[in-house]
Amino acid sequence: MRCLFFLLLMFCTVPAWADSHDQLYKVAGWPEQRAHFNDALKAAQLRYKNSLPPAVFDALVSNSNQRFSPQAMDQRAEQQLRQTLQDPNPALQFFQSPLGRKIVNAELTATRPDQLAKNAQGLPKMEATTTRQLIIGHLTQALPAREAGAEVSLAIAGVAADSLSQMIPGLMGMGGGQTQDMLDGQRQRLIAQIGNDMNNTLLYVYRDLSDPELDEFATFAESPEGKAYYQAALAAVRAGLAVGQNGK
């Protein structure tokens, strides 16, 4: 299920500027995906309620609400997107097209709370022709799905550890370098784990796209313009989630 969170790349609220960046955020579904992320965060908070002391649970909720408040995430993520994505127009044109709208709709559907709950035990095994598998393989390599999924997983899981550390200072008993090494190691393990099922995940999410549509999508994702967009999106996710930082 972690891999589905790749589709939460677009979690920011709509910024104040009325320009191509602003239009891109709207067309690519960022506001809706941000709402889906908040729903997932609330569900994660509730899962800890019966397993943590009340004081720790209250700290968890307070910390996560602060770190993942729309304003805080917007401030970090939007600044990073602005810095990283120099020209938003190619991506804007793509996502304004009928195919782009179809892709966004597929992504929004996959990350709805009811769909995440439906597939909580795993996605169905998708059957596909050799041609379709080949196209999906290109998308798997072009989209930063594994990396973004790992960041979301680390962010949600890290809130409990941060809260416990706040309640019991020095609990971790290690220096910042050791903590960062552990975080990097966990990140790499998550990326590998998510990657094991990525082809099937993308086959499921984009199951309503035809082979020619998938091929056009892969062509965009592999183009210089597509690479610039997805690199900027991943950078924004990392900045917005502030994994390994205090998130303030």
Side-chain angles (χ1 to χ4, degrees), residues 20-237:
S20 294
H21 285 90
D22 179 23
Q23 296 178 55
L24 176 58
Y25 296 146
K26 293 176 181 177
V27 172
W30 286 54
E32 295 88 346
Q33 291 289 18
R34 197 246 333 179
H36 292 177
F37 175 84
N38 287 341
D39 289 334
L41 176 63
K42 292 176 182 177
Q45 291 174 342
L46 290 176
R47 286 196 295 271
Y48 286 112
K49 187 171 185 178
N50 296 325
S51 59
L52 293 174
V56 177
F57 176 73
D58 290 344
L60 180 152
V61 173
S62 177
N63 289 346
S64 59
N65 286 347
Q66 180 180 26
R67 173 188 287 185
F68 300 123
S69 70
Q71 183 178 3
M73 295 181 76
D74 288 347
Q75 189 174 31
R76 296 189 299 263
E78 289 170 12
Q79 181 179 4
Q80 186 63 51
L81 278 166
R82 277 266 177 186
Q83 293 174 351
T84 309
L85 186 60
Q86 299 300 316
D87 182 7
N89 288 303
L92 174 60
Q93 293 174 8
F94 178 78
F95 287 111
Q96 281 179 327
S97 70
L99 173 58
R101 291 195 296 269
K102 190 171 183 178
I103 290 167
V104 171
N105 182 65
E107 295 170 352
L108 291 175
T109 298
T111 58
R112 286 195 332 238
D114 63 313
Q115 292 299 305
L116 293 177
K118 173 185 175 182
N119 296 307
Q121 301 305 314
L123 297 173
K125 181 66 177 178
M126 303 297 293
E127 301 295 332
T129 64
T130 301
T131 297
R132 194 170 182 84
Q133 287 279 8
L134 181 62
I135 299 171
I136 284 292
H138 282 276
L139 274 176
T140 295
Q141 294 301 314
L143 302 178
R146 293 161 292 190
E147 294 82 356
E151 295 302 321
V152 173
S153 297
L154 287 171
I156 292 178
V159 169
D162 292 346
S163 301
L164 191 58
S165 179
Q166 177 179 309
M167 296 295 295
I168 312 175
L171 178 67
M172 296 301 293
M174 60 184 67
Q178 290 173 287
T179 303
Q180 186 61 47
D181 289 343
M182 289 182 62
L183 185 64
D184 290 340
Q186 188 176 1
R187 177 179 286 112
Q188 292 306 313
R189 287 191 294 273
L190 283 169
I191 289 173
Q193 180 182 346
I194 293 170
N196 288 336
D197 201 40
M198 183 52 60
N199 280 21
N200 190 66
T201 298
L202 297 187
L203 281 170
Y204 178 80
V205 172
Y206 302 118
R207 60 192 180 279
D208 293 332
L209 272 65
S210 67
D211 286 0
E213 288 173 330
L214 274 179
D215 191 43
E216 185 177 345
F217 183 18
T219 298
F220 167 73
E222 292 178 326
S223 70
E225 296 79 9
K227 289 179 179 178
Y229 172 73
Y230 284 110
Q231 287 172 359
L234 178 58
V237 168

